Amino acid sequence: MNTPQQPLNISIIGAGGIGSNTCLLLVNALRNGVIAEHLGGIEFHLYDGDEVEDANLIHQRFTPSQIGMLKVDALAETFADIHAAVRLIPHGINLRDSNSLADAHIVIVAVDRPEPRRIVHSLEGKEWYDSRCMGDFTLLLTDQSDPVMIEALTPEHAPASCQPEGAIESGAIQFGFANAAVHLADAIMRSLLRRCGHETEFPDSICDSITKGRIDIFGTPVEPVMTVAPQATKPWSDEDDRILLDGLDHNGRDLDEISRELGRSPNALFHRLRRLMERGDVDAEAGE
């Protein structure tokens, strides 16, 4: 536990769509200093090696005058005078190992790359949050989430934007990043309140869509079904999509049960759901 001589260290990996908007929500919420002073001060350690680009201004919390700056430096500049007990400390690097997080009390990973996610997942005895989005779809995992589910939802993949392909160029922005930031900021605020002695409910995992609502994929712990799912190499059919959407939307079935019926891994189901939402195939009537 932090002491008045040791400010609470909140380390945020990633200063893009989710990370920068989470900073905006959390840091402004701490503006009056009451919570920060009670906790002996709060330091936000920001990790990101990217610079602000013009395309970032559409959905990330930067201004035209900050183009060319490191994102972490820009955020530290924006919130430099928020309160004496609240500091933003920029680190213009991408996370490569856990050494930088040794002194962190709370760790947030908000980048769409598996390597930093796995570094955070491997931390022992630390409170952490893994926030993700695609289109209007949001996923939040925590150190309290089922380990098998965490592993299943963290495969190897190339880095990806939180926006569907062509969305920034066309202006058809989707707001899953903002939804993710709200869920994440709310979870962190609840953690801070608990550290101040307040009683509050605390989420361990969230799967949510702005258009579809809360999706229960965490009903029961996921059990390893098979090394290679029997349908893994087969294209998705309309019937497969119907079973997936109907099961989650109306029947309250968990991801493991649907995985067994379709013969596909939980990770395949999760990414198929992301793809359907990205294409706009999912709406309030899906599955009917």
Side-chain angles (χ1 to χ4, degrees):
M1 180 65 68
N2 60 304
T3 68
Q5 291 73 40
Q6 182 187 20
L8 186 77
N9 178 323
I10 301 178
S11 291
I12 302 178
I13 298 98
I18 298 176
S20 65
N21 282 283
T22 300
C23 278
L24 174 72
L25 294 170
L26 273 178
V27 175
N28 275 328
L30 297 169
R31 182 177 291 275
N32 68 7
V34 174
I35 292 176
E37 289 178 345
H38 184 91
L39 295 172
I42 297 177
E43 292 181 348
F44 290 89
H45 289 259
L46 311 178
Y47 295 86
D48 197 315
D50 290 348
E51 296 180 351
V52 178
E53 300 177 356
D54 182 69
N56 300 147
L57 305 185
I58 295 176
H59 64 297
Q60 301 178 22
R61 296 306 99 197
F62 304 108
T63 65
S65 65
Q66 293 174 327
I67 291 175
M69 293 179 64
L70 285 170
K71 290 182 177 181
V72 293
D73 288 340
L75 289 172
E77 174 187 79
T78 298
F79 298 108
D81 300 319
I82 201 77
H83 191 276
V86 180
R87 296 179 60 208
L88 274 74
I89 302 174
H91 304 273
I93 58 173
N94 294 320
L95 188 71
R96 301 300 183 194
D97 56 56
S98 62
N99 294 334
S100 301
L101 306 175
D103 296 327
H105 300 98
I106 299 173
V107 180
I108 296 167
V109 57
V111 293
D112 196 15
R113 290 188 294 114
E115 294 83 5
R117 287 174 178 165
R118 289 176 182 147
I119 291 172
V120 172
H121 298 168
S122 69
L123 298 174
E124 295 184 1
K126 288 191 185 294
E127 180 181 338
W128 60 256
Y129 301 84
D130 177 350
S131 182
R132 315 178 187 185
C133 70
M134 167 56 74
D136 85 338
F137 184 74
T138 296
L139 177 69
L140 178 65
L141 302 172
T142 80
D143 58 287
Q144 300 300 308
S145 300
D146 175 48
V148 178
M149 177 69 79
I150 293 171
E151 182 177 0
L153 294 176
T154 313
E156 287 293 335
H157 65 83
S161 169
C162 66
Q163 293 298 321
E165 184 176 355
I168 292 178
E169 293 78 6
S170 68
I173 299 299
Q174 296 193 35
F175 292 91
F177 69 91
N179 194 30
V182 168
H183 283 306
L184 184 54
D186 180 71
I188 301 302
M189 180 56 71
R190 290 175 183 273
S191 175
L192 298 181
L193 290 173
R194 286 202 309 181
R195 291 168 184 266
C196 291
H198 297 276
E199 293 185 5
T200 179
E201 294 183 3
F202 207 69
D204 59 359
S205 304
I206 293 172
C207 185
D208 188 55
S209 162
I210 294 173
T211 54
K212 190 175 177 63
R214 190 63 58 89
I215 303 169
D216 182 15
I217 66 171
F218 304 105
T220 59
V222 176
E223 300 177 1
V225 180
M226 54 205 72
T227 302
V228 178
Q231 304 298 320
T233 60
K234 295 185 178 181
W236 282 79
S237 67
D238 291 343
E239 178 64 11
D240 290 340
D241 290 341
R242 186 197 65 76
I243 292 172
L244 172 60
L245 296 175
D246 188 60
L248 293 175
D249 194 22
H250 297 292
N251 297 334
R253 301 168 65 194
D254 62 75
L255 200 64
D256 189 33
E257 183 182 351
I258 301 173
S259 171
R260 292 179 183 279
E261 178 175 349
L262 291 175
R264 299 179 186 272
S265 70
N267 179 63
L269 269 59
F270 172 72
H271 284 279
R272 181 60 178 176
L273 188 59
R274 283 180 53 166
R275 176 62 62 184
L276 292 173
M277 290 181 174
E278 180 181 345
R279 286 185 353 202
D281 293 348
V282 178
D283 56 34
E285 304 301 318
E288 292 189 347

